[in-house]
């Protein structure tokens, strides 16, 4: 993600120049990544085949429990996943509206049209009741969607049992966009394994990273093999460069797979660290009115990939946008919650079921710095800055103690 723009011109709140910028979510290496990268260099496996790739896929499969194919990005995974589900020109695909654009764009790559579904307040994810309503109306209108893209937002799974049951009534397959939710679970089942195909992202801002990359998983080995084939330009077997199907250059490189192997080894620790950060913010703001952590649904483990809060300006005393601007001046990067797809100029003409919940979460939601490498001092700086902006006393002591138990060894 690009950094937010700095604004040093505010006389009311001068940026302390000695303070380094605290970013929203940065890569956090585990230590063994360079070993695998070095092995790739030493063995000269510097392309899109090699031992790190096969090992990363196998280790990921061991972690998730499903066959996996490593790709150049999560977006590529969604594109291939939708194609596996048969999406093509003229189809419609239902998609969570509250998400990053990469959840929806591949629908258009395939010549299909997205139809957006609103969130509920309980999880911020796709509202199963609205989905049921949308499917019922589509069935009555004689045009069911070819697939449903369900996003696990900010590290928390959607309510998949309900969603699968509803989609099952119409035999509609589900793509689980778990780009933001690696390490989360739903009723004990890992995020990404809850749909017909699941997709993860290893973008630099994610809970683990390969600098850029993605993984597609499915219980069907045939599907995974097909996706791997498409990701390598769909070259037919044999000596000649013959192609019978359209393919893409979507394979991950063996070098980046080496980074992935090192990162996967520390994933569980990263989940603990991100959760600890979110819960620490929650405690530190516990006495402030009008600021609430994103709900933590009782059905699973939320990774809190990003620590997201909802602000009620009338109680909190300052608007979301003013808070972001003030923190930016204090050299702290924060972001609004995703702008919903149905409010995007790109998707202006698409149908949307509901939309007001996502619009409100977007209007009031803020993502605070959430890197697993965030130090106690830096998190205290964020906390105290927020508290100071609403006239509350600092809590530095409390925050340092709280963090000590969740640090790296
Ligand atoms: C919900 C969601 N879907 C898809 C993606 C796309 O992943 P990538 O950046 O790896 O293409 C991202 C993040 O970037 C995301 O947040």
């Amino acid at each position: 993600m690009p950094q937010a723009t700095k604004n040093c011109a505010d006389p009311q709140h001068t940026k302390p120049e000695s303070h380094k910028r605290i970013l929203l979510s940065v890569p956090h290496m585990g230590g063994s990544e360079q070993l695998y990268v070095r092995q790739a260099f030493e063995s000269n496996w510097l392309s899109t085949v090699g031992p790190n790739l096969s090992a990363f896929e196998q280790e990921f499969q061991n972690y998730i429990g499903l066959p996996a194919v490593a790709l150049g990005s999560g977006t590529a995974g969604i594109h291939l996943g939708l194609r596996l589900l048969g999406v093509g020109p003229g189809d419609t695909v239902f998609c969570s509206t509250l998400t990053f654009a990469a959840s929806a764009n591949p629908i258009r790559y395939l010549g299909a049209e997205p139809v957006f579904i609103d969130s509920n307040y309980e999880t911020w994810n796709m509202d199963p009741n609205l989905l049921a309503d949308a499917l019922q109306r589509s069935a009555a209108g004689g045009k069911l969607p070819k697939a449903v893209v369900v996003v696990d937002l900010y590290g928390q799974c959607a309510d998949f049992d309900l969603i699968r049951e509803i989609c099952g009534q119409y035999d509609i397959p589900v793509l689980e966009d778990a780009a933001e939710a690696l390490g989360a679970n739903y009723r004990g089942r890992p995020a990404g394994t809850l749909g017909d195909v699941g997709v993860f992202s290893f973008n630099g801002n994610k809970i683990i990273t390969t600098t850029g990359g993605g993984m597609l998983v499915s219980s069907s080995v045939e599907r995974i093999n097909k996706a791997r084939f498409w990701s390598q330009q769909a070259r037919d077997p044999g000596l000649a460069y013959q192609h019978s199907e359209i393919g893409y250059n979507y394979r991950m490189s063996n070098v980046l797979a080496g980074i992935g192997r090192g990162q996967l080894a520390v994933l569980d620790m990263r989940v603990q660290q991100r959760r600890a950060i979110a819960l620490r913010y929650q405690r530190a703001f516990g006495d402030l009115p009008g600021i609430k952590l994103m709900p933590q649904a009782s059905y699973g483990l939320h990774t809190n990939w990003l620590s997201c809060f909802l602000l009620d300006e009338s109680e909190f005393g300052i608007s979301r946008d003013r808070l972001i601007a003030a923190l930016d001046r204090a050299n702290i990067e924060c972001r609004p919650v995703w702008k919903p797809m149905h409010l995007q100029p790109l998707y202006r003409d698409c149908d949307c079921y509901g939309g007001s919940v996502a619009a409100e979460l977007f209007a009031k939601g803020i993502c605070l710095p959430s890197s697993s490498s965030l130090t106690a001092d830096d998190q205290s700086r964020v906390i105290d800055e927020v508290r100071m902006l609403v006239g509350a006393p600092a809590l530095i002591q409390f925050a340092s103690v709280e963090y000590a138990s969740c640090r790296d060894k």
Side-chain angles (χ1 to χ4, degrees), residues 201-219:
S201 166
F202 307 122
N203 182 273
N205 64 8
K206 295 298 186 291
I207 194 157
I208 61 169
T209 184
T210 57
T211 71
M215 195 73 86
L216 175 67
V217 301
S218 167
S219 58

Side-chain angles (χ1 to χ4, degrees), residues 73-75 78 99-100 102-103 151 177 179-180 201 203 206 213 338:
S73 68
T75 311
I78 296 172
T99 185
F100 180 55
S103 306
V151 179
D177 179 352
E180 301 176 1
S201 166
N203 182 273
K206 295 298 186 291
W338 298 126

Side-chain angles (χ1 to χ4, degrees), residues 1-6 21 23-24 26 328 331 333-335:
M1 284 190 180
Q3 289 188 18
T5 2
K6 294 182 181 181
R21 187 158 177 81
L23 297 170
L24 185 72
V26 297
D328 181 54
N331 231 351
E333 182 190 33
C334 298
R335 293 292 174 95

Side-chain angles (χ1 to χ4, degrees), residues 103-349:
S103 306
N105 288 345
I107 299 170
R108 284 262 174 96
Y109 299 171
L110 289 161
E113 268 307 283
V115 171
F116 297 108
I117 311 285
D118 204 356
S119 303
N120 59 23
Y121 287 112
E122 291 75 41
T123 66
W124 295 18
N125 282 312
M126 186 182 282
D127 181 340
N129 293 324
L130 269 182
L131 174 65
D133 184 37
L135 283 173
Q136 199 178 32
R137 288 211 237 162
S138 310
K143 187 166 171 70
L144 281 166
K146 195 75 180 195
V148 180
V149 176
V150 179
V151 179
D152 297 330
L153 204 66
Y154 292 124
Q156 174 161 266
C157 293
D159 196 346
F160 263 90
D161 280 351
L162 274 178
I163 287 171
R164 288 308 298 262
E165 191 191 317
I166 294 160
C167 290
Q169 286 166 18
Y170 301 88
D171 224 6
I172 313 279
V174 174
L175 183 146
E176 182 182 6
D177 179 352
E180 301 176 1
L182 177 59
N185 73 50
Y186 175 82
R187 303 192 194 284
R189 286 172 276 151
T193 66
L194 308 165
D196 295 275
V197 293
V199 176
F200 301 92
S201 166
F202 307 122
N203 182 273
N205 64 8
K206 295 298 186 291
I207 194 157
I208 61 169
T209 184
T210 57
T211 71
M215 195 73 86
L216 175 67
V217 301
S218 167
S219 58
S220 157
V221 179
E222 292 73 36
R223 277 185 169 155
I224 291 302
N225 288 341
K226 191 73 178 179
R228 191 177 286 111
F229 171 68
W230 286 336
S231 77
Q232 294 168 305
Q233 303 288 19
R235 182 179 159 191
D236 292 338
L239 269 185
Y241 283 84
Q242 177 180 294
H243 303 266
S244 311
E245 292 181 61
I246 195 85
Y248 318 89
N249 184 5
Y250 275 177
R251 193 77 165 121
M252 181 182 280
S253 102
N254 186 63
V255 179
L256 300 190
I259 301 179
R261 294 182 70 186
Q263 287 277 278
L264 193 58
V266 292
L267 173 59
D268 287 341
M269 194 193 301
R270 298 294 177 257
V271 173
Q272 283 175 33
Q273 289 164 325
R274 296 243 177 195
R275 273 190 70 70
I277 285 165
L279 299 177
R280 183 162 171 255
Y281 279 130
Q282 184 185 36
R283 290 243 213 133
F285 300 146
D287 60 327
L288 305 182
I291 179 165
K292 269 207 202 90
L293 181 64
M294 175 183 176
Q296 317 277 298
S298 57
Y299 54 57
L301 174 71
H302 192 326
T303 65
N304 296 103
W305 164 59
L306 293 186
S307 289
C308 303
F309 283 81
L310 213 54
L311 299 185
D312 180 335
E313 184 182 346
S314 62
E315 291 179 27
F316 191 60
I318 170 170
S319 74
R320 191 275 313 272
D321 287 353
R322 276 190 55 215
L323 181 62
I324 291 179
L327 290 171
D328 181 54
R329 286 191 293 272
N331 231 351
I332 295 168
E333 182 190 33
C334 298
R335 293 292 174 95
V337 158
W338 298 126
K339 180 167 189 165
M341 292 305 107
H342 72 281
L343 299 180
Q344 300 285 349
L346 176 65
Y347 294 121
R348 185 177 27 218
D349 298 330

